[in-house]
C-alpha cells in the first residue's frame, strides 16, 4: 500500500471562544479521498474543529486560533492565503439543509457566479455544470424538469443533496459536513450515506456526526473527541472493535454522551 | 398554621385568577380596539368638516389647476395641482436622497459592524428619529438655507431641495431601523451558506440578503415615504411656501400639509375655505392610506415567502 496522502493536517491547534478554550492541542492527519467521521459528545469541539478547516469560525469576532492547519499542503493561516480560494477548495454542508432562497438552478450555479465574471459564464457552461452536479448527487432525474422551482420547496432530503450539489461546480477537494443527516428521516439518512460513499472517490469527506451507528456504518476513519481534545483517531472498525482508550470505550458503549 | 401552600393556592388563586385575568384581558382588548376607533373617529371628523363642500367642487379644476385663491372677493378658486406637485416632488426628491442612504446604513449596521459600534450607531440613528420636526424646520431656515444660498446656484435657500434634504434626514432613521429588522430576519444559515461557498461579505449582501429581505426593505422605504408625505412643520418652514409648479430643484414650492397648517387658523369655521382645507386633509389621508396599504402588502409578502 502506498503512503497515505493527507488533505488536512493540523499541528498544535488551540482555539478559544473568548475565554473558553474549545480546542486543545489538536494534531491530526486526515487522509485524502476517505470519509473521516468526527464523533464525541455535545460540546466536545467537533463542530468547532470542522469549522476551522474553512475558517468560517472567524465570522464570530471573539474567536482566537493558535497552531497550524494545512489544507491541501497549504497553511491556511498564512497571510497570503485567500479565504475565497480556500472556501472554493473546501466546501461545507450544514446541519439543517440551507439552500438559498433561489431556484434549484441558481443554487447550483451560485458558486460559479461568485467566482466568475458574467462574461465568463455562457448559458451552456452553466447548464452543463447544473446537469453534472445534479447527476453526481442523484437529483438530476427528479429535478431536471423543475430547475426553476424555489429550492426551499424541495423535500429536506433533496434540499440537503442540493446543498452538496452546489459545492461541486467549484471543484472542491474537501467537503466538510456538519451532522448532514440530523434533520432527515431514515430514508433521507440512508440516501445521504450512500451519496457519501459515491463521493469518496473524488473528494475528501469530513463528517461530524452525533450518531455513532452512522459513524460506524459510513466512515473509513474515526476521530473521537472529548472536551476539546482528540482522544483517539484510528480506522473506524479498529476504533469500534477495540478502542485503545477507556474514554473511547465508554463512549461507544453509550455510558455517557 | 396547618395549611400547606398548595391548599392556600387552591382556595385563593382561582377567584383572583378569574377576576384579574378578565380585567386584564378586557383592558388589553380595549387598547387594541381603541386604535381602530381613533382612526375611524379622525377620518369621520375630517370627512364631516369637508363633506358639505365636496358636491360643490369642480374636481377637474381642483386637481388640475394651480390657482389657489381661497379668499378672492371676485372669483374664489381652489386649485391644488401645484401643491400636489409640490408634495409629490419634495417627497420624491427626499426619497432619492434617503433610500440609498438609509438602505446603505441599514446594510452597514446589520451586516458590517458588530459590538459597540453597532449599538452606538443604532442609538444615534434612533436619536435622529426623535428630533422634533420644528427643530428640523429651524435648521432649514437658519442653517441649510444659508448653505444653499452660498454654495449652490439658487436665488433663495428656502426651496424644494432644502425641504427634501430635511425630509430625507427625517425618513432615514425609519428606513434604517425597519430595513435593519428586515435584514436581521434573514436566517443566518443563508449567510453561512454563501460565505462557505467563498462569497465576500458584499456578495453575500447583494446576492442573498437583499433578495431575501426585499419585501421588508420595500416596506421600510414605503414607511419612509409615508413619513415624508405627512410632514408639515419642517416643509412649511423650509420650502418657501410658494404656490407654483417646481421647474428646478431650487424653486420654492408649497405642500398640501403646509397649506393646511398655514391657513386653517385664519379661516372662519364652517366657511368654504375652512371646508376646502379639510378636503385637502382627506386627500392626504387617501395618499398616506395607499402608501401604508402598499407597505402592509409588502410585509405580508415576506410572511408568505418564508412561511
Amino acid at each position: 500500500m502506498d503512503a497515505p496522502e493527507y488533505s488536512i493536517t493540523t499541528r498544535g491547534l488551540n482555539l478559544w471562544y473568548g475565554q473558553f478554550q474549545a480546542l486543545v492541542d489538536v494534531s491530526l492527519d486526515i487522509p485524502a479521498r476517505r470519509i473521516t467521521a468526527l464523533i464525541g459528545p455535545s460540546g466536545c469541539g467537533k463542530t468547532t474543529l470542522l469549522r476551522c478547516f474553512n475558517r468560517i469560525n472567524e465570522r464570530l469576532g471573539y474567536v482566537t486560533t493558535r497552531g497550524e492547519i494545512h489544507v491541501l499542503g497549504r497553511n491556511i493561516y498564512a497571510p497570503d492565503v485567500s479565504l475565497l480560494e480556500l472556501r472554493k477548495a473546501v466546501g461545507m454542508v450544514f446541519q439543517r439543509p440551507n439552500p438559498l432562497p433561489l431556484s434549484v438552478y441558481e443554487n447550483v450555479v451560485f458558486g460559479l457566479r461568485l467566482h466568475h465574471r458574467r462574461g465568463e459564464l455562457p448559458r451552456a457552461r452553466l447548464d452543463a455544470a447544473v446537469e453534472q452536479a445534479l447527476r453526481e448527487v442523484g437529483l438530476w432525474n427528479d429535478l431536471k424538469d423543475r430547475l426553476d422551482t424555489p429550492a426551499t420547496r424541495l423535500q429536506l432530503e433533496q434540499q440537503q443533496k442540493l446543498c452538496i450539489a452546489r459545492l461541486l461546480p467549484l471543484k472542491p477537494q474537501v467537503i466538510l459536513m456538519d451532522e448532514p443527516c440530523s434533520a432527515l428521516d431514515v430514508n433521507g439518512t440512508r440516501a445521504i450515506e450512500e451519496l457519501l460513499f459515491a463521493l469518496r472517490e473524488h473528494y475528501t469527506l469530513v463528517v461530524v456526526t452525533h450518531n455513532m451507528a452512522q459513524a460506524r456504518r459510513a466512515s473509513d476513519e474515526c476521530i473521537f473527541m472529548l472536551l476539546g481534545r482528540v482522544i483517539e483517531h484510528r480506522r473506524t472498525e479498529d476504533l469500534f472493535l477495540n478502542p485503545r482508550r477507556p474514554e473511547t470505550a465508554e463512549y461507544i458503549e453509550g455510558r455517557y454522551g | 398554621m396547618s395549611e400547606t401552600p398548595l391548599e392556600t393556592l387552591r382556595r385563593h388563586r382561582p377567584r383572583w385568577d378569574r377576576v384579574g385575568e378578565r380585567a386584564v384581558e378586557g383592558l388589553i382588548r380595549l387598547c387594541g380596539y381603541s386604535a381602530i376607533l381613533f382612526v375611524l373617529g379622525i377620518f369621520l371628523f375630517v370627512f364631516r368638516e369637508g363633506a358639505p363642500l365636496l358636491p360643490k367642487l369642480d374636481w377637474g379644476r381642483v386637481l388640475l389647476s394651480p390657482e389657489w385663491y381661497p379668499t378672492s372677493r371676485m372669483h374664489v378658486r381652489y386649485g391644488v395641482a401645484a401643491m400636489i406637485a409640490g408634495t409629490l416632488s419634495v417627497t420624491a426628491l427626499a426619497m432619492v436622497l434617503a433610500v440609498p442612504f438609509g438602505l446603505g446604513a441599514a446594510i452597514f449596521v446589520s451586516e458590517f459592524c458588530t459590538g459597540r459600534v453597532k449599538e452606538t450607531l443604532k442609538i444615534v440613528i434612533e436619536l435622529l428619529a426623535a428630533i422634533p420636526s420644528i427643530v428640523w424646520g429651524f435648521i432649514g431656515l437658519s442653517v441649510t438655507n444659508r448653505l444653499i444660498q452660498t454654495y449652490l446656484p439658487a436665488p433663495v435657500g428656502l426651496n424644494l431641495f432644502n425641504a427634501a434634504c430635511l425630509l430625507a434626514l427625517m425618513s432615514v432613521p425609519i428606513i434604517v431601523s425597519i430595513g435593519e429588522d428586515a435584514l436581521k430576519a434573514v436566517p443566518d444559515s443563508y449567510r453561512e451558506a454563501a460565505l462557505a461557498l467563498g462569497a465576500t461579505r458584499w456578495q453575500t449582501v447583494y446576492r442573498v440578503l437583499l433578495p431575501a429581505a426585499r419585501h421588508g426593505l420595500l416596506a421600510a422605504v414605503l414607511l419612509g415615504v409615508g413619513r415624508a408625505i405627512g410632514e408639515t412643520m419642517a416643509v412649511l418652514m423650509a420650502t418657501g411656501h410658494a404656490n407654483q409648479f417646481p421647474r428646478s430643484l431650487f424653486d420654492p414650492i408649497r405642500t398640501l400639509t403646509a397649506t393646511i397648517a398655514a391657513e386653517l387658523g385664519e379661516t372662519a369655521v364652517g366657511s368654504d375655505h375652512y371646508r376646502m382645507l379639510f378636503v385637502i386633509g382627506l386627500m392626504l389621508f387617501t395618499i398616506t392610506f395607499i402608501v401604508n396599504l402598499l407597505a402592509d402588502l409588502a410585509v405580508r409578502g415576506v410572511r408568505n415567502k418564508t412561511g
Side-chain angles (χ1 to χ4, degrees):
Chain A
M1 218 173 101
D2 43 5
E5 175 196 336
Y6 296 117
S7 285
I8 303 174
T9 57
T10 72
R11 290 293 174 263
L13 179 65
N14 288 280
L15 182 145
W16 292 263
Y17 291 120
Q19 298 296 310
F20 173 75
Q21 184 162 14
L23 293 178
V24 186
D25 264 330
V26 172
S27 297
L28 283 174
D29 296 293
I30 294 176
R33 287 177 296 284
R34 292 277 185 283
I35 303 172
T36 302
L38 286 171
I39 61 168
S42 294
C44 70
K46 53 195 193 298
T47 295
T48 298
L49 178 61
L50 192 78
R51 291 165 70 92
C52 284
F53 297 149
N54 65 350
R55 286 180 61 182
I56 203 157
N57 262 342
E58 291 165 27
R59 281 191 72 207
L60 313 169
Y62 51 90
V63 173
T64 324
T65 317
R66 293 276 147 70
E68 276 181 32
I69 305 178
H70 289 259
V71 172
L72 306 168
R74 302 243 311 143
N75 179 3
I76 61 170
Y77 286 101
D80 62 328
V81 157
S82 145
L83 257 189
L84 308 186
E85 292 302 316
L86 170 68
R87 289 175 182 167
K88 257 173 87 173
V90 182
M92 185 169 231
V93 178
F94 296 84
Q95 192 167 353
R96 282 206 64 81
N98 60 349
L100 296 166
L102 306 166
S103 66
V104 170
Y105 188 96
E106 283 301 319
N107 263 279
V108 180
V109 299
F110 188 82
L112 288 177
R113 289 205 195 280
L114 291 178
H115 296 282
H116 298 275
R117 275 176 229 286
R118 189 175 286 271
E120 296 169 351
L121 295 171
R123 185 79 188 180
R125 180 170 170 197
L126 295 177
D127 288 345
V130 170
E131 178 169 351
Q132 198 193 342
L134 290 181
R135 273 193 197 286
E136 215 166 328
V137 299
L139 278 180
W140 177 250
N141 285 331
D142 292 340
L143 295 185
K144 66 181 172 205
D145 301 320
R146 294 196 285 147
L147 295 177
D148 291 329
T149 46
T152 42
R153 288 216 200 120
L154 301 179
Q155 303 157 14
L156 279 180
E157 175 196 331
Q158 293 179 322
Q159 289 190 13
Q160 195 62 303
K161 284 179 172 176
L162 182 67
C163 289
I164 298 171
R166 76 173 167 208
L167 307 173
L168 305 181
L170 293 177
K171 312 227 180 305
Q173 301 195 44
V174 179
I175 297 179
L176 311 172
M177 299 191 180
D178 186 2
E179 304 199 31
C181 301
S182 66
L184 306 180
D185 62 10
V186 180
N187 290 323
T189 302
R190 185 184 307 127
I192 298 289
E193 285 174 10
E194 280 166 10
L195 182 56
L196 292 185
F197 285 115
L199 292 171
R200 176 173 58 173
E201 265 187 61
H202 304 289
Y203 308 97
T204 303
L205 299 163
V206 187
V207 184
V208 165
T209 175
H210 233 92
N211 178 337
M212 253 184 297
Q214 178 176 54
R216 192 166 189 167
R217 281 194 303 269
S219 71
D220 302 305
E221 296 204 356
C222 204
I223 297 170
F224 172 64
M225 293 182 70
L226 194 60
L227 299 174
R229 292 170 199 275
V230 171
I231 304 296
E232 197 160 344
H233 174 195
R234 297 165 69 196
R235 287 180 50 213
T236 300
E237 56 230 67
D238 296 341
L239 186 121
F240 278 95
L241 285 177
N242 42 33
R244 277 196 198 125
R245 298 280 301 264
E247 300 97 315
T248 319
E250 288 177 10
Y251 181 70
I252 61 181
E253 282 167 24
R255 294 217 197 124
Y256 62 89
Chain B
M1 285 293 283
S2 61
E3 271 184 340
T4 64
L6 191 66
E7 282 169 329
T8 326
L9 274 179
R10 258 187 219 130
R11 242 154 36 96
H12 295 296
R13 274 295 280 279
R15 196 184 312 149
W16 267 115
D17 261 12
R18 242 177 292 142
V19 175
E21 192 85 355
R22 271 217 197 128
V24 170
E25 209 181 295
L27 203 67
I28 288 174
R29 185 169 302 203
L30 195 73
C31 295
Y33 287 144
S34 70
I36 301 177
L37 213 70
F38 287 137
V39 171
L40 273 181
I42 292 169
F43 182 79
L44 283 179
F45 169 72
V46 176
F47 186 77
R48 193 193 67 192
E49 297 299 301
L53 190 66
L54 287 177
K56 286 196 266 175
L57 286 175
D58 173 1
W59 280 98
R61 275 274 171 77
V62 169
L63 292 175
L64 297 176
S65 156
E67 295 181 359
W68 174 257
Y69 297 109
T71 52
S72 165
R73 286 268 170 93
M74 310 295 295
H75 182 26
V76 173
R77 280 152 289 172
Y78 294 125
V80 296
M83 296 173 209
I84 292 179
T87 290
L88 294 183
S89 60
V90 79
T91 305
L93 184 58
M95 287 304 116
V96 167
L97 300 170
V99 168
F101 212 70
L103 292 185
I107 291 168
F108 179 73
V109 171
S110 159
E111 304 300 322
F112 288 85
C113 67
T114 50
R116 202 164 292 170
V117 184
K118 185 171 184 162
E119 291 313 308
T120 315
L121 265 177
K122 281 169 83 166
I123 290 169
V124 172
I125 287 166
E126 269 154 36
L127 214 63
L128 199 63
I131 297 176
S133 62
I134 187 79
V135 174
W136 285 115
F138 184 70
I139 291 171
L141 271 178
S142 55
V143 182
T144 45
N145 180 19
R146 211 169 302 150
L147 285 176
I148 289 172
Q149 275 180 333
T150 318
Y151 295 107
L152 292 168
V156 265
L158 300 178
N159 55 28
L160 172 58
F161 182 72
N162 188 342
C165 290
L166 299 183
L167 286 185
L169 283 167
M170 296 168 86
S171 351
V172 156
I174 293 178
I175 299 180
V176 175
S177 58
I178 304 207
E180 197 227 333
D181 285 346
L183 288 169
K184 210 164 51 186
V186 177
D188 208 36
S189 65
Y190 291 169
R191 293 182 186 85
E192 292 209 317
L195 291 174
L197 280 164
T200 62
R201 282 207 281 189
W202 173 238
Q203 281 177 319
T204 310
V205 167
Y206 85 83
R207 286 194 180 274
V208 179
L209 300 182
L210 291 186
R214 64 183 186 280
H215 297 287
L217 295 175
L218 183 64
V221 170
L222 288 174
L223 287 172
V225 170
R227 176 87 173 89
I229 288 178
E231 177 48 37
T232 305
M233 197 42 78
V235 290
L236 175 59
M237 293 166 81
T239 51
H241 206 55
N243 188 38
Q244 56 174 1
F245 285 112
R247 280 182 196 81
S248 82
L249 284 182
F250 305 114
D251 272 358
I253 53 150
R254 188 174 196 181
T255 65
L256 294 168
T257 50
T259 303
I260 300 178
E263 297 181 7
L264 191 59
E266 295 164 14
T267 60
V269 175
S271 66
D272 278 0
H273 184 193
Y274 169 89
R275 298 206 185 285
M276 185 59 208
L277 294 177
F278 277 90
V279 172
I280 294 180
L282 286 176
M283 292 177 185
L284 277 169
F285 225 121
T286 316
I287 298 176
T288 45
F289 179 74
I290 291 171
V291 171
N292 276 351
L293 195 71
L294 288 177
D296 201 47
L297 289 177
V299 173
R300 237 168 262 259
V302 174
R303 296 210 192 105
N304 288 347
K305 269 281 147 63
T306 52

